Amino acid sequence: MPIYSLFIKNNDNKTAFLPKAFNIVIAVALFMLFFLFSIKRLGMEFDFSFLWSFRYRLAQGFAATVELSLASLVVSLFLGFLSALANNSRILVISYFSKVYVQFFRGTPLIMQVYLFFYIIGTAWGVDNRFWAGVLILSIFEGAYISEIIRGGLDSIEHTQLEAARAVGLKSGQTMRLIVLPQIIKRTLPSLAGQFASIIKDSSLLSLISVIELTQTIREISASNFAIFESYIFLGLLYLTLTFPISMYTRYLESRYSYEN
Amino acid sequence: MRIELKAVSKIFSDGNRALDNITYREDFNALAIIGPSGGGKSTLLRILGGLIEPTSGEVALNGKKICYDEKHLIQYRRKIGFVFQSKGLFNHLTARQNIILPLVNVHGYTKAGAGTTADNLLERFGLFRDRHKYPHELSGGQQQRVAIARAVAVKPKLLLLDEPTSALDPELTSEVLDMLNELRNEGLNFILVTHEMGFAKKACDKLMFIVNGRLAEYGDSEKLFTSPETEELAGFLSKVLEWNV
Ligand SMILES: Nc1ncnc2c1ncn2[C@@H]1O[C@H](COP(=O)(O)OP(=O)(O)O)[C@@H](O)[C@H]1O
Ligand SMILES: [Mg+2]
């Protein structure tokens, strides 16, 4: 095996395990070196040991972020599915309501939505549980993206599938449950998994309305001992432990789906 | 089986007149529908299958009039098998699951009973080894054979097929037609839209020739092929048979 083949992609676009692992290690090392070098230039010394004394609060914050994200995933899937169906509705006002919803929440920054909805809508309607207010705001935001993903899934179902369902004698409810839903799920799962990673990251903005999740916990810790850099580096690593496996799973789903076509 | 069409017309919502006043009465075992494309063959077959409603006219099978409202149509479709040109199998299900689904969810079979029925059919049509494959893993010919197996699994009183082989290579075409011929010899009645003139002539007893939404000629299949009465059919046959060996 010539030495350069350790570094160059094969013609068939497949990379064997050894060159893959080897090059990933190098890439990660380069990335870290750049970071460490920058720190060196600032002449700073990092000490992460203080984090240990905050381990219980950190674990609580981590758990809160997981709970917040899971709850938001469920609610946003529901909203997104509803919105996708509404978008295809033949009743115009329902269809346009869904379009306006999607356009507004995809077209404005989450930070604005968090403030506006918590202080105006939340106050006006008496939502004072911060956790659930957070879930609701985040779900409405992510639901707009999920709506588009599911709409794409609905569009991708071929007409012949529906006609075949009718021909074998399925009722429309059965067609939805046995044919349409399973096909949409299969097709949109990679994108939905990716969206879940976004939910996890976006949930950090809920610290702005003092939902006690991971980012808010770190903000509080770093405010008390001024170890801002260490705190935020650690924060990043914690988010990565959540998003990285999801990202790998998304990749796997994508490759499986592309093979089917 | 006896088919009766009384002044059947279909005008689509865009004003397109796909079928124009078709009247036809015939006893058949295997009926072939031929004609140039765009003539209305698929439209007629979909009306016969209860998938769309005629704009006017009446359709009856064995003396029983088809009632075109959704409630009756659901019952009606359950007694009819329908095979599409292609892509009629459910993408997310294996060959075996495709056959099982209607048996369980429409015809009230138990899972085990449906499984046995499916396995017997798959075995019989040489598909058993591929029973756990998804449609995209099957050849076009295998897909169509599974589609036919799914349609006959429910013991339909009539099988409708819309150009089941026109998306297939020649060698795959004959494996599908062989299967159909075998089913016909067992007494299954079918109506088939096809461009396979050899099959229409030898395996089908009756023929309908449809041009521009009109029934231009009909009768015994053998006879129409050897001595067509209209210029239209003679011209059509000479065109489609031009390069036959
Ligand atoms: N759903 C539809 N809406 C409007 N026009 C249609 C529709 N389906 C078929 N047609 C038209 O009806 C005519 C007959 O079509 P079809 O029955 O598919 O013919 P064939 O199967 O003989 O090729 C064509 O002109 C076609 O464009
Ligand atoms: Mg056609």
Side-chain angles (χ1 to χ4, degrees):
Chain A
M1 192 162 73
I3 189 72
Y4 72 81
S5 73
L6 253 185
F7 296 97
I8 308 296
K9 201 177 255 180
N10 283 335
N11 287 333
D12 61 6
N13 261 330
K14 287 201 186 85
T15 314
F17 176 73
L18 190 67
K20 196 170 176 175
F22 181 62
N23 284 284
I24 288 176
V25 169
I26 295 180
V28 172
L30 279 174
F31 185 78
M32 303 233 293
L33 272 177
F34 173 74
F35 205 67
L36 288 175
F37 182 68
S38 309
I39 291 167
K40 262 260 140 34
R41 280 179 58 124
L42 289 175
M44 291 196 305
E45 282 291 326
F46 278 2
D47 177 13
F48 288 91
S49 58
F50 73 95
L51 288 166
W52 181 246
S53 58
F54 291 105
R55 59 190 180 279
Y56 294 115
R57 279 180 71 187
L58 284 169
Q60 273 172 6
F62 190 81
T65 284
V66 172
E67 286 163 16
L68 198 59
S69 305
L70 284 176
S72 300
L73 178 67
V74 173
V75 179
S76 62
L77 275 175
F78 177 75
L79 288 177
F81 192 73
L82 218 62
S83 162
L85 287 182
N87 183 79
N88 282 2
S89 170
R90 293 183 57 192
I91 302 169
L92 284 173
V93 69
I94 293 182
S95 169
Y96 281 116
F97 187 81
S98 156
K99 289 189 169 83
V100 168
Y101 160 65
V102 169
Q103 286 301 327
F104 180 80
F105 285 93
R106 281 170 56 114
T108 54
L110 179 56
I111 188 167
M112 173 226 110
Q113 296 170 20
V114 170
Y115 276 130
L116 213 64
F117 279 72
F118 184 67
Y119 291 113
I120 298 183
I121 310 269
T123 314
W125 297 90
V127 184
D128 45 15
N129 180 319
R130 279 171 198 266
F131 180 86
W132 287 106
V135 167
L136 214 61
I137 294 169
L138 193 56
S139 300
I140 292 173
F141 173 73
E142 306 291 343
Y145 287 84
I146 290 178
S147 170
E148 289 290 273
I149 294 173
I150 293 179
R151 193 167 67 89
L154 275 171
D155 287 348
S156 76
I157 290 184
E158 290 137 304
H159 179 70
T160 53
Q161 297 287 304
L162 302 178
E163 191 147 58
R166 260 154 53 80
V168 300
L170 294 177
K171 295 178 192 151
S172 55
Q174 289 179 311
T175 303
M176 196 56 162
R177 184 164 53 85
L178 298 169
I179 311 297
V180 175
L181 264 182
Q183 292 196 13
I184 297 183
I185 289 172
K186 211 167 168 179
R187 284 182 193 191
T188 58
L189 210 53
S191 316
L192 290 178
Q195 197 62 37
F196 185 43
S198 297
I199 292 179
I200 292 171
K201 287 181 293 170
D202 294 341
S203 73
S204 67
L205 275 181
L206 295 176
S207 60
L208 291 171
I209 52 167
S210 305
V211 177
I212 314 290
E213 40 70 75
L214 191 54
T215 303
Q216 179 63 10
T217 306
I218 286 282
R219 268 159 54 115
E220 288 171 10
I221 291 172
S222 66
S224 66
N225 66 4
F226 304 108
I228 291 183
F229 293 110
E230 289 92 333
S231 300
Y232 277 91
I233 290 171
F234 188 63
L235 180 67
L237 291 176
L238 287 178
Y239 275 104
L240 270 177
T241 60
L242 290 173
T243 54
F244 184 68
I246 296 173
S247 158
M248 288 294 103
Y249 182 60
T250 308
R251 283 280 176 96
Y252 161 75
L253 289 173
E254 272 167 359
S255 67
R256 213 182 53 175
Y257 180 53
S258 67
Y259 160 77
E260 278 180 25
N261 287 282
Chain B
M1 166 153 287
R2 180 163 182 76
I3 179 175
E4 286 169 271
L5 304 175
K6 261 187 236 159
V8 171
S9 292
K10 176 74 192 180
I11 302 166
F12 284 106
S13 51
D14 58 0
N16 198 340
R17 186 180 289 269
L19 291 177
D20 191 6
N21 203 20
I22 291 193
T23 296
Y24 177 65
R25 206 169 273 121
E26 189 74 275
D27 289 296
F28 70 94
N29 292 313
L31 169 62
I33 303 177
I34 62 169
S37 73
K41 304 182 297 296
S42 298
T43 304
L44 177 59
L45 204 69
R46 287 165 71 217
I47 288 174
L48 292 175
L51 293 173
I52 57 173
E53 185 185 355
T55 310
S56 59
E58 282 179 10
V59 182
L61 290 176
N62 283 342
K64 256 191 94 180
K65 211 180 105 183
I66 303 176
C67 190
Y68 282 94
D69 64 69
E70 193 57 27
K71 219 176 87 210
H72 287 95
L73 283 182
I74 281 201
Q75 294 305 322
Y76 172 74
R77 285 184 211 121
R78 293 177 175 180
K79 295 182 227 140
I80 303 280
F82 207 108
V83 176
F84 297 90
Q85 182 171 355
S86 64
K87 307 257 177 192
L89 292 177
F90 300 125
N91 292 329
H92 64 301
L93 300 177
T94 63
R96 188 170 184 270
Q97 291 166 339
N98 258 284
I99 299 177
I100 289 176
L101 184 131
L103 290 174
V104 171
N105 293 285
V106 178
H107 297 270
Y109 281 53
T110 61
K111 280 230 165 79
T116 312
T117 304
D119 286 338
N120 288 340
L121 275 166
L122 289 161
E123 175 84 62
R124 185 174 151 205
F125 293 116
L127 295 159
F128 194 71
R129 275 193 337 157
D130 301 304
R131 68 192 182 285
H132 296 309
K133 287 190 177 164
Y134 287 92
H136 71 269
E137 299 170 318
L138 297 168
S139 76
Q142 288 171 331
Q143 288 178 24
Q144 289 305 70
R145 279 151 61 209
V146 174
I148 295 175
R150 183 179 74 188
V152 299
V154 305
K155 303 199 173 64
K157 59 177 189 175
L158 175 66
L159 182 62
L160 304 173
L161 307 101
D162 192 357
E163 302 194 34
T165 61
S166 62
L168 302 180
D169 293 336
E171 72 269 25
L172 299 181
T173 296
S174 56
E175 74 182 41
V176 174
L177 295 180
D178 285 346
M179 175 175 178
L180 215 49
N181 196 36
E182 194 181 325
L183 287 165
R184 191 205 57 153
N185 290 336
E186 287 166 16
L188 180 74
N189 292 322
F190 62 77
I191 300 178
L192 164 80
V193 175
T194 187
H195 290 298
E196 295 298 325
M197 293 304 151
F199 191 80
K201 181 178 174 189
K202 291 181 200 134
C204 300
D205 51 337
K206 304 289 170 170
L207 194 77
M208 286 176 96
F209 174 54
I210 290 186
V211 184
N212 285 331
R214 288 179 307 106
L215 180 56
E217 192 167 345
Y218 59 90
D220 290 344
S221 169
E222 184 79 47
K223 183 162 159 283
L224 256 57
F225 273 101
T226 42
S227 49
E229 279 178 9
T230 59
E231 288 281 314
E232 275 167 316
L233 181 55
F236 178 74
L237 288 178
S238 80
K239 237 183 278 165
V240 293
L241 297 175
E242 184 177 5
W243 298 104
N244 267 27
V245 284

